[in-house]
Amino acid sequence: MVETKNSRLKNSVYNAAMAIFNTVLMSFLGIASRAIFVRILGDELIGVNSLFSDFLALISFTELGFGTAITVSLYKPISQDNFDEIKALLNLYRKIYSGIMGIIILLSFCFIPFLKYIKTDIPFADLRIYYFIFVFNNIIGYFGAYREAYISARQQARKIIAFDTFFQVSTTLLQLAAVITTKNFLLYLLVNSALIVGRKIAVNIYIASRYPETRLKNVSSVSNRQQKDIVRKVKALAVHKIANLSISQTDSIIVSYVIGLAWWGITSNYLMLKNTISGFTMQIYSAILPGMGDLVASEDKNVQLKTFRLYDFINNWLYSFCFVALAVLSTPFVSLLYGRERVMPRTTVFVLFFNFYLAGLRDPVSVLREASGAFENDKLFTVLSAIVNLVTSLVFVQILGITGVFLGTVCSTLVVLMARPVVLFGSVYNMSSMWYFKIMALQVLSAMAGYAVTSFAVNSILRVLGLGFASFFVCTAVTALLPNVLWLILYRKNENLKMAFGILKNFLKRGTDNGQA
């Protein structure tokens, strides 16, 4: 059934709301469990957990973007209820991922000898066992991935949120029990593996029962035209994927090998907060992408750009607030929960979260680019960004230590942030991108103003009251209020702000009407 504008918005909002609920719940559990984990098992094992996750994410470059390319190809047949084409694409997805799993296993074994060069006191034999468990978890993630991609493309991802919540809560509670009672990191990892397998089985049974087309019976072949289109997209996506992974996953490797695994464990306390917030923003991204894909397939470019401007405005407000909150509150939070000895320098914290903000500004352009399937035109800039990241991080780490690693990442983020809009608006919409950069410059200035005002207020409160849970609560309230009031004043005449309030008002009214009915 073809999606209407209202159904696209409704699905996007519902998917985001359900996903955010799950993320909120898991965030509280994750923060609590991490506090216990750090105090019982220490910084080095926290570093192992973070390093191996990043390392295996780097190996996953072998996926090359096939999943994204096929998911984008699903938007049109889904909108037309063309189940023969849907099954053909899903079958291709399944076959490709089966091959990818084999390649990842081989590559994972090739990297085992390099484990001995990590700066840590953990015995090599133990590191190797932990690594094998992470490899197993990584491989399991590919089983039945085509089914989950399908319901995401149908804007029905919320239907498996209950599974995610149940298994994630169960995992956290059982892992906590294992750590508290045995202080055994190996058991902690094995509990996680068992529940990953359980979730995969449950979700695949559910999707196969609700969406019979995913059982892939009587499947035809993908047409030559589609194959060529997918291959064309994958060639571009492969470049993007390898480059993006080399940017996002190499910080942990550089720090662990140059500075030490314990330092990465300390850093990961801040990264946990960043990743928690990223969980919220990525849920919104994932919820909006299928709707934007349908919009691109069914609406003219004026409608696309109007929707883009609204999304860009809301996205900037969201990331600006997240940046201010993380940069201002993360250090007192880490000090209270994990201990003052695990606090990083203020400059390091600012650079880390400023990069998070800049990377977030790319989301609307990335959504529009991905929904349009325009992957080819900016791939060279992504490669340049990866080169800049590696070179600058390796140079700056020698001068500035861990701050230099994150400063190098900022430099690489700026490359894509500036290049991608130029390429997208020029090649897809035949227009200059200067209007976008003017808006972005004002957005960055407003975010910095929000940070400056809030940082001054919070630091003043902490100087007067000292650090404690009561003063942290006051600081949190001030952070929630102060920058948002400032931005309401600055943007009070902005049309997108009025549109955003209108959408929120209509959505709340619809929810109230449904509740009364």
Side-chain angles (χ1 to χ4, degrees):
M1 183 173 65
V2 177
E3 295 279 358
T4 64
K5 180 179 179 180
N6 287 336
S7 64
R8 281 195 298 265
L9 177 61
K10 182 178 178 181
N11 282 329
S12 295
V13 172
Y14 282 173
N15 286 334
M18 290 293 293
I20 287 172
F21 168 78
N22 179 66
T23 305
V24 169
L25 176 62
M26 293 314 304
S27 296
F28 281 114
L29 285 173
I31 290 169
S33 64
R34 188 180 185 88
I36 296 171
F37 186 107
V38 167
R39 294 183 184 277
I40 293 177
L41 295 179
D43 293 319
E44 285 205 306
L45 288 177
I46 278 284
V48 167
N49 209 51
S50 181
L51 173 63
F52 284 172
S53 296
D54 288 347
F55 193 59
L56 289 167
L58 188 59
I59 291 177
S60 71
F61 78 87
T62 51
E63 191 267 347
L64 297 179
F66 276 106
T68 301
I70 295 175
T71 300
V72 169
S73 299
L74 281 168
Y75 294 144
K76 186 174 181 180
I78 286 174
S79 69
Q80 298 172 341
D81 286 339
N82 187 341
F83 290 105
D84 289 336
E85 188 173 339
I86 287 170
K87 288 193 288 186
L89 286 166
L90 291 179
N91 190 48
L92 178 62
Y93 197 134
R94 180 178 62 174
K95 289 179 178 179
I96 290 170
Y97 268 43
S98 296
I100 288 170
M101 285 189 289
I103 296 171
I104 288 177
I105 291 172
L106 290 174
L107 285 175
S108 298
F109 277 93
C110 291
F111 281 99
I112 292 174
F114 295 97
L115 298 178
K116 65 179 66 175
Y117 299 108
I118 297 173
K119 288 188 176 181
T120 178
D121 294 328
I122 300 171
F124 175 68
D126 291 347
L127 274 181
R128 189 167 51 190
I129 293 172
Y130 303 152
Y131 179 71
F132 285 146
I133 294 173
F134 275 88
V135 171
F136 173 79
N137 294 347
N138 194 32
I139 295 299
I140 290 297
Y142 289 96
F143 280 102
Y146 68 95
R147 287 195 172 110
E148 294 187 51
Y150 174 63
I151 66 167
S152 176
R154 289 190 69 91
Q155 291 188 277
Q156 300 298 315
R158 62 186 179 275
K159 293 187 176 180
I160 61 171
I161 292 294
F163 292 95
D164 291 336
T165 301
F166 172 77
F167 281 100
Q168 288 172 354
V169 169
S170 299
T171 299
T172 302
L173 295 179
L174 289 172
Q175 284 183 315
L176 273 176
V179 169
I180 292 170
T181 58
T182 69
K183 299 180 174 60
N184 189 312
F185 184 58
L186 179 59
L187 182 59
Y188 171 92
L189 295 179
L190 290 174
V191 166
N192 185 45
S193 297
L195 287 165
I196 286 174
V197 173
R199 179 202 172 275
K200 271 293 175 183
I201 294 172
V203 167
N204 274 273
I205 291 174
Y206 172 78
I207 296 175
S209 65
R210 294 295 299 271
Y211 299 92
E213 60 269 27
T214 64
R215 297 174 190 168
L216 303 184
K217 296 179 179 179
N218 303 316
V219 180
S220 59
S221 299
V222 175
S223 67
N224 290 331
R225 178 188 59 79
Q226 281 183 314
Q227 288 184 23
K228 290 179 181 178
D229 184 57
I230 290 170
V231 168
R232 177 178 58 82
K233 288 184 172 69
V234 167
K235 286 180 179 178
L237 281 166
V239 176
H240 288 295
K241 188 171 183 68
I242 294 170
N244 286 332
L245 283 170
S246 69
I247 293 169
S248 62
Q249 309 301 333
T250 53
D251 286 355
S252 60
I253 297 172
I254 293 172
V255 172
S256 298
Y257 280 84
V258 177
I259 301 176
L261 191 58
W263 249 109
W264 188 249
I266 292 171
T267 304
S268 67
N269 294 321
Y270 287 84
L271 293 177
M272 180 270 296
L273 297 174
K274 180 181 79 70
N275 293 337
T276 297
I277 301 300
S278 294
F280 291 99
T281 56
M282 282 305 299
Q283 300 295 355
I284 296 171
Y285 183 101
S286 299
I288 288 175
L289 178 56
M292 188 68 80
D294 183 69
L295 185 77
V296 169
S298 59
E299 300 285 359
D300 63 40
K301 291 184 177 180
N302 288 331
V303 175
Q304 295 170 28
L305 288 172
K306 184 177 180 181
T307 305
F308 166 81
R309 290 188 182 99
L310 175 61
Y311 175 33
D312 182 66
F313 176 81
I314 296 172
N315 180 78
N316 171 70
W317 195 301
L318 174 65
Y319 270 100
S320 294
F321 177 68
C322 291
F323 158 66
V324 170
L326 286 169
V328 171
L329 296 176
S330 59
T331 290
F333 180 87
V334 168
S335 182
L336 277 173
L337 209 59
Y338 305 125
R340 294 179 184 272
E341 69 276 12
R342 293 184 173 91
V343 167
M344 293 200 304
R346 183 179 297 181
T347 303
T348 305
V349 173
F350 175 85
V351 174
L352 171 64
F353 293 126
F354 183 62
N355 181 69
F356 164 78
Y357 168 68
L358 292 178
L361 291 184
R362 301 182 311 198
D363 279 2
V365 173
S366 297
V367 166
L368 191 59
R369 163 184 161 272
E370 193 165 332
S372 304
F375 305 113
E376 296 90 346
N377 298 329
D378 64 347
K379 60 186 179 183
L380 293 180
F381 290 103
T382 312
V383 174
L384 176 61
S385 177
I387 295 171
V388 168
N389 177 68
L390 185 61
V391 173
T392 54
S393 293
L394 288 174
V395 171
F396 291 158
V397 72
Q398 306 298 331
I399 305 169
L400 302 172
I402 196 167
T403 306
V405 177
F406 298 134
L407 186 59
T409 308
V410 168
C411 294
S412 67
T413 299
L414 286 170
V415 173
V416 176
L417 182 65
M418 302 303 291
R420 185 164 289 170
V422 173
V423 175
L424 177 71
F425 293 122
S427 62
V428 177
Y429 295 92
N430 298 314
M431 61 190 300
S432 169
S433 56
M434 286 306 299
W435 64 272
Y436 174 76
F437 288 121
K438 289 177 182 177
I439 291 173
M440 186 170 65
L442 293 174
Q443 290 174 341
V444 173
L445 288 174
S446 68
M448 291 302 102
Y451 168 76
V453 170
T454 308
S455 179
F456 175 79
V458 167
N459 289 333
S460 299
I461 292 169
L462 291 176
R463 278 195 297 270
V464 173
L465 300 181
L467 179 60
F469 285 101
S471 60
F472 181 77
F473 177 79
V474 173
C475 291
T476 301
V478 169
T479 302
L481 183 65
L482 199 55
N484 286 302
V485 170
L486 174 64
W487 296 327
L488 281 172
I489 295 170
L490 292 176
Y491 290 114
R492 63 189 182 279
K493 296 182 180 180
N494 190 291
E495 288 299 319
N496 287 308
L497 179 62
K498 298 175 183 177
M499 290 174 62
F501 274 124
I503 291 171
L504 179 62
K505 181 179 178 181
N506 290 335
F507 183 71
L508 293 174
K509 183 178 184 299
R510 190 182 300 120
T512 303
D513 293 341
N514 290 340
Q516 292 174 346

